[in-house]
Amino acid sequence: MQALILAGGKGTRLRPLTVYTPKPVVPVMNRPFLLYQIEILAKAGVTDVVLSLSYQPDKIEDLLGDGSDYGVRLTYVTEPSPMGTGGAYRFAADHLTETTIVLNGDILTDLDIAKLIGFHRKNTAAATLALKQVEDPSAYGLVETDGQSRIVRFLEKPRSEDARKINVNTINAGIYVLEPSILDLIPAGETRSFEYDVFPAILEKKLPFLGFSMDETYWRDLGNPASYLQAHHDFLSGRISGSSIDRTAPFDRATAASVDKLSVIGAGCVIKPGARIVRSTLGPGVHVDEKAVIEDSVIWGHVRVSAAAEIKNAVIGRSCFIGRNATVTGGTVLGDKASIPDYSHV
Ligand code: GDD
Ligand code: MG
């Protein structure tokens, strides 16, 4: 079984975190994000994974290698310039010879992919989309199905009045099973979108097009910093099953410092006396000085948090400096190398 991960977007909505780090390898619980997708694919018996890239491909390849560490064979396909989601799938056609799982590269989920494939096969579908119910569907692709789970309408990011008219809150979760026949609907070398071109063409041609409900399953689009931070809260509160959290990295904690059981501390961190870490993830080599407090936050590697500083509900990029008694709160996101002077509030 094969898979294609669409990871060619620039990740603009996740800035500043994606200024120096491509979105697919932004660390989530201290691991490159794409590993979570590779993990659920490998679990379902997928052996070959094609990564479809166009932005900073070398950084991604350097980090993930040939995939042997994760039990899959990784192939990298880089478009000369972004060809859209459908165009990127067509561009990788030489590598896609059988039924293919396609994933949007920014979805965090613990979906049982084997179940999705089973549903697709049972219905002899040409294409199956995983579907999720959300409160406000307007930022997504809206999908309407009939009583037999057949997709009858697909509307990408409708204006809210159009969304209201359709009156469904089921969205495209960005996880597909596609038969190779779908490749024939896309001309080679051209820019095409699954959402605006290919899915409407499947409907027009009346090919068997099915929707698989994944409502019982955790699902999140890591599209913006708030969602990125929330994904960490979800991990730490046990809302994501299947992926174990690694708390084994060696670090140096003063006996008078407190680190709660939920927090994850990267290798080589130093936590000084009186410091307190609660429900947070610290990357490698973070230095936390005396009496500093870090709560409900994500701190990337090699950050220095000075004495009595307070970080609550924030994301701090790599190699930042937080001065003495400074406070960083309320969903603040700092890009790499930011420096917050002593006693500042951000
Ligand atoms: N290779 C390649 N080339 N990848 C691309 C390109 C491209 O030109 N354009 C986008 N991608 C990748 C992005 O990196 C991302 O992983 C995925 O395709 C989807 O693009 P987004 O930009 O994240 O789309 P979205 O979140 O606004 O909407 C999509 O996802 C929603 C679910 O989160 C759509 O598929 C919606 O229908 C869906 O509901
Ligand atoms: Mg997205």
Side-chain angles (χ1 to χ4, degrees):
M1 183 66 74
Q2 301 180 308
L4 174 78
I5 301 181
L6 293 168
K10 275 197 167 176
T12 45
R13 281 168 295 167
L14 202 52
R15 283 181 191 150
L17 300 175
T18 45
V19 174
Y20 299 106
T21 308
K23 177 157 97 164
V25 292
V26 154
V28 170
M29 303 301 304
N30 285 344
R31 303 167 74 212
F33 171 65
L34 274 190
L35 289 191
Y36 296 95
Q37 296 203 332
I38 292 171
E39 227 165 58
I40 58 167
L41 289 168
K43 209 185 280 175
V46 175
T47 48
D48 289 272
V49 180
V50 180
L51 294 187
S52 167
L53 308 174
S54 63
Y55 179 65
Q56 301 189 331
D58 299 342
K59 281 192 184 175
I60 298 173
E61 193 165 348
D62 285 350
L63 228 98
L64 300 180
D66 65 1
S68 51
D69 287 356
Y70 322 112
V72 295
R73 270 184 299 272
L74 283 181
T75 307
Y76 298 84
V77 174
T78 304
E79 301 140 63
S81 64
M83 299 178 78
T85 47
Y89 166 65
R90 180 67 182 81
F91 188 75
D94 288 349
H95 302 275
L96 309 175
T97 50
E98 46 182 83
T99 310
T100 302
I101 317 294
V102 177
L103 288 169
N104 279 353
D106 57 354
I107 302 300
L108 179 62
T109 178
D110 52 14
L111 174 68
D112 182 345
I113 301 267
K115 272 195 193 154
L116 172 67
I117 298 166
F119 174 90
H120 173 86
R121 293 236 159 100
K122 192 180 87 204
N123 289 287
T124 50
T128 301
L129 312 189
L131 307 180
K132 184 83 185 162
Q133 310 252 2
V134 294
E135 261 169 37
D136 177 10
S138 57
Y140 300 103
L142 231 93
V143 184
E144 196 180 351
T145 50
D146 68 8
Q148 272 86 46
S149 303
R150 284 184 299 239
I151 295 175
V152 293
R153 180 140 54 162
F154 188 99
L155 202 54
E156 182 68 8
K157 306 204 178 87
R159 291 177 308 172
S160 50
E161 64 253 42
D162 293 339
R164 260 197 303 277
K165 254 186 253 157
I166 300 183
N167 199 27
V168 291
N169 57 355
T170 308
I171 61 138
N172 166 25
I175 306 165
Y176 321 133
V177 189
L178 304 179
E179 291 303 319
S181 58
I182 301 301
L183 288 167
D184 303 336
L185 304 176
I186 310 170
E190 289 186 26
T191 298
R192 285 290 185 282
S193 152
F194 271 128
E195 297 82 353
Y196 290 103
D197 306 309
V198 183
F199 297 152
I202 295 174
L203 284 170
E204 199 177 300
K205 294 214 163 356
K206 299 195 166 37
L207 300 176
F209 192 19
L210 274 289
F212 174 83
S213 163
M214 55 178 289
D215 282 334
E216 303 308 313
T217 313
Y218 180 87
W219 180 90
R220 174 174 290 286
D221 176 336
L222 285 199
N224 55 51
S227 182
Y228 173 80
L229 184 54
Q230 187 58 46
H232 285 79
H233 298 336
D234 294 344
F235 258 110
L236 294 184
S237 57
R239 265 173 280 195
I240 308 175
S241 61
S243 231
S244 53
I245 297 173
D246 182 10
R247 291 195 172 80
T248 59
F251 65 95
D252 177 9
R253 181 183 78 186
T255 38
S258 103
V259 176
D260 76 337
K261 279 209 187 78
L262 290 178
S263 294
V264 173
I265 313 294
C269 286
V270 176
I271 321 262
K272 293 291 201 181
R276 196 156 53 83
I277 319 281
V278 185
R279 294 181 299 271
S280 294
T281 305
L282 274 54
V286 173
H287 184 105
V288 184
D289 270 329
E290 280 81 1
K291 295 187 180 158
V293 176
I294 301 175
E295 267 181 32
D296 299 309
S297 295
V298 180
I299 317 288
W300 286 14
H302 310 288
V303 166
R304 183 164 192 120
V305 182
S306 306
E310 250 184 50
I311 302 174
K312 290 188 179 171
N313 207 34
V315 182
I316 313 292
R318 194 168 286 113
S319 302
C320 286
F321 171 83
I322 312 295
R324 292 174 72 88
N325 294 78
T327 57
V328 184
T329 56
T332 296
V333 182
L334 300 181
D336 293 1
K337 299 184 190 149
S339 180
I340 304 300
D342 297 352
Y343 299 96
S344 306
H345 301 280
V346 283

